[in-house]
Amino acid sequence: MMKFIKNFRKDEDGAVTVDWVVLTAAVVALAGAAYTSIETGASGLTASTSTFITSQNPNGAGEGS
């Protein structure tokens, strides 16, 4: 039984799994932050484009009509 306990303490396979879990969580968090940033900018750009297009006159006013 003591041999099993000593071998269990020396075994580091679980540490690699924990490292991968932490690394994956960090990547997911960064992806979420990037998505939020891009989504906010895209929404603003869409609103600005909509305002610009709505303000245009399709009859070509100002061209001597």
Side-chain angles (χ1 to χ4, degrees), residues 22-50:
V22 171
L23 180 64
T24 303
V27 168
V28 169
L30 287 173
Y35 171 78
T36 301
S37 176
I38 291 170
E39 190 267 337
T40 302
S43 295
L45 180 62
T46 302
S48 297
T49 304
S50 173

Side-chain angles (χ1 to χ4, degrees), residues 1-52:
M1 184 68 168
M2 284 302 275
K3 185 177 180 181
F4 173 75
I5 293 173
K6 286 181 184 179
N7 285 339
F8 184 75
R9 278 183 41 187
K10 291 180 184 179
D11 191 12
E12 295 184 8
D13 289 339
V16 174
T17 303
V18 171
D19 290 343
W20 275 106
V21 168
V22 171
L23 180 64
T24 303
V27 168
V28 169
L30 287 173
Y35 171 78
T36 301
S37 176
I38 291 170
E39 190 267 337
T40 302
S43 295
L45 180 62
T46 302
S48 297
T49 304
S50 173
T51 302
F52 175 78

